[in-house]
Amino acid sequence: MKVPLLDLKAQFAPIRGEVLAAIERVADSQLFILGTEVEALEREVAEMLGVAHAVGVSSGTDALLAALMALDVGPGDEVVTTTYSFFATAGSIVRLGARPVLVDIDPVTFNLDPEQTLAACTPRTKALLPVHLYGQAADLDPIVLGARDRGIAVVEDAAQAIGTRYKGREVGGIGTLGCFSFFPSKNLGAFGDGGLVTTNDAALAEKVRLLRGHGMKPKYYHHMVGGNFRLDALQAAVLRVKLPHLAAWTEARRANAARYRALFAELDPEGRVGLPHEVASGYHIYNQFVVRVPGRDRVREALAADGIGTEIYYPLPFHRQPCFASLGADPGAFPEAERAAAETLALPIYGELTAGEQRYVVERLVAHVV
Ligand SMILES: *Cc1c(COP(=O)(O)O)cnc(C)c1O
């Protein structure tokens, strides 16, 4: 049996006709950049997330960059964030000449520790940048309150978290700005790169819109130095076909997560494999189902030989990345992130997985753990 980490073909098959019709519609219009498709997507996503403004951009990375630019983050500023995330979280801060101040994760949720986040604030701190890792919300209440006390902003990295809820509220509209990604492996994936910035602040939304197109308004009059962070009409058209299916796809991922738990309870009664913790008051969308495995690297190789795809998110925390050596972090500074980087393994969790495939994954995994 072969079980890939992600099989996008299974999701595409039932919507193929609709997607091709949407692509044809854009082809016939010959209007490729922004325009009505992007505007419609922005309205539809904003409504789904219950947020006032959504601005389509070229990627999740550019969503982070535009959000931080809208807050005027630059040289001399600090942004507090987790050391354990996808590179873009810290990379976007550094690209603006600001300094990422890293904090460790909560070992239970893998999300940044709110106490350490607030303790890391200085008079130079311009924003806090929590990441909703794997599709589960970071503990936002203390972060948002702490930011409010200090008069600073919160940028939510919700790239892995479209539809995630925190205490009943959709993420992305809880902080000052939210950043989403439509990279194909995210729960709502485009046919290429895409992203979105959300906010309830009309002035910030307008600023992100300007920054998205070189700060230009009207044509060839530039108010600020932005970039080309525009979303393509083709991507928006494809995403609009997928959007109405997202809730059901997420439910299928959650059902698979529940089935993994039942299978591990049956096949690993001693609990040698550490299962992800689901915070009861939230809604986890399981962009990834990440377990802790003793002897992770050896087990991963054995699973690959069994035809089972897995991934390590992430093998090296930011403070250990060669390009961030200048931050001068002590290699042992963040023990929980180090431990997660050494132990974690993402298993296939996409909605179309079958019960038989999941049983095979758990049987093989448990067999390799000694
Ligand atoms: C995917 C991702 C990004 C970047 O999104 P792209 O669309 O790939 O640029 C940023 N942060 C996190 C946590 C991500 O998972």
Side-chain angles (χ1 to χ4, degrees):
M1 195 184 288
K2 271 211 174 326
V3 189
L5 180 66
L6 176 63
D7 177 7
L8 288 170
K9 286 183 180 166
Q11 185 192 74
F12 180 54
I15 58 169
R16 188 174 187 279
E18 258 184 291
V19 169
L20 294 184
I23 291 173
E24 210 166 54
R25 185 171 75 228
V26 176
D28 287 337
S29 79
Q30 289 294 296
L31 298 170
F32 299 114
I33 311 281
L34 298 176
T36 55
E37 293 286 348
V38 171
E39 285 163 20
L41 176 74
E42 291 173 344
R43 273 197 308 276
E44 289 157 10
V45 175
E47 185 176 348
M48 183 192 85
L49 296 178
V51 68
H53 309 278
V55 184
V57 294
S58 33
S59 68
T61 301
D62 289 339
L64 286 165
L65 198 61
L68 294 171
M69 287 171 87
L71 296 169
D72 298 318
V73 168
D77 295 331
E78 293 175 353
V79 177
V80 182
T81 194
T82 172
T83 189
Y84 191 63
S85 176
F86 177 62
F87 181 77
T89 308
S92 53
I93 300 166
V94 173
R95 285 174 65 188
L96 294 174
R99 180 181 173 82
V101 174
L102 303 175
V103 297
D104 207 355
I105 53 169
D106 167 357
V108 175
T109 62
F110 301 106
N111 279 319
L112 87 176
D113 182 305
E115 255 177 57
Q116 290 185 40
T117 303
L118 298 181
C121 289
T122 74
R124 290 180 297 279
T125 307
K126 194 86 168 239
L128 309 180
L129 209 176
V131 179
H132 306 306
L133 202 67
Y134 307 146
Q136 175 151 263
D139 190 7
L140 286 176
D141 275 350
I143 292 169
V144 168
L145 279 176
R148 198 172 296 161
D149 285 347
R150 289 165 177 81
I152 60 176
V154 175
V155 177
E156 297 177 58
D157 183 339
Q160 301 180 6
I162 190 157
T164 295
R165 292 197 286 272
Y166 175 75
K167 299 185 181 174
R169 297 173 63 195
E170 298 278 344
V171 302
I174 300 174
T176 317
L177 294 142
C179 302
F180 293 87
S181 166
F182 302 127
F183 184 77
S185 70
K186 308 298 162 96
N187 282 28
L188 180 63
F191 278 18
D193 281 307
L196 189 96
V197 179
T198 50
T199 183
N200 286 305
D201 182 318
L204 282 175
E206 181 55 25
K207 203 163 169 190
V208 172
R209 279 183 202 286
L210 274 176
L211 287 163
R212 167 174 77 174
H214 291 297
M216 181 168 82
K217 189 185 180 178
K219 238 181 187 174
Y220 310 125
Y221 288 79
H222 300 266
H223 301 264
M224 56 188 103
V225 179
N228 173 1
F229 308 140
R230 297 176 305 234
L231 182 63
D232 288 343
L234 272 171
Q235 299 303 345
V238 171
L239 289 165
R240 290 183 66 207
V241 174
K242 289 186 158 198
L243 191 63
H245 299 280
L246 181 62
W249 291 339
T250 300
E251 276 301 306
R253 284 172 177 265
R254 287 175 53 80
N256 287 348
R259 192 151 60 193
Y260 268 140
R261 290 183 198 283
L263 285 164
F264 278 106
E266 176 193 334
L267 299 167
D268 179 33
E270 311 95 277
R272 286 171 298 169
V273 175
L275 301 183
H277 176 76
E278 205 177 301
V279 177
S281 61
Y283 184 79
H284 193 327
I285 66 157
Y286 287 101
N287 180 242
Q288 301 297 343
F289 187 91
V290 174
V291 296
R292 289 187 192 260
V293 185
R296 191 265 322 267
D297 292 338
R298 182 186 52 75
V299 171
R300 181 169 190 237
E301 266 178 46
L303 287 172
D306 290 334
I308 296 169
T310 62
E311 190 51 90
I312 300 168
Y313 301 111
Y314 298 89
L316 207 55
F318 294 152
H319 65 284
R320 300 281 306 278
Q321 295 290 351
C323 69
F324 292 148
S326 63
L327 294 178
D330 176 345
F334 307 112
E336 290 302 343
E338 296 279 337
R339 194 160 71 83
E343 295 180 353
T344 52
L345 194 64
L347 306 180
I349 189 67
Y350 59 92
E352 298 80 8
L353 270 183
T354 65
E357 287 166 338
Q358 283 192 276
R359 178 170 284 275
Y360 178 65
V361 169
V362 176
E363 276 173 357
R364 297 316 302 154
L365 175 54
V366 171
H368 296 309
V369 174
V370 285

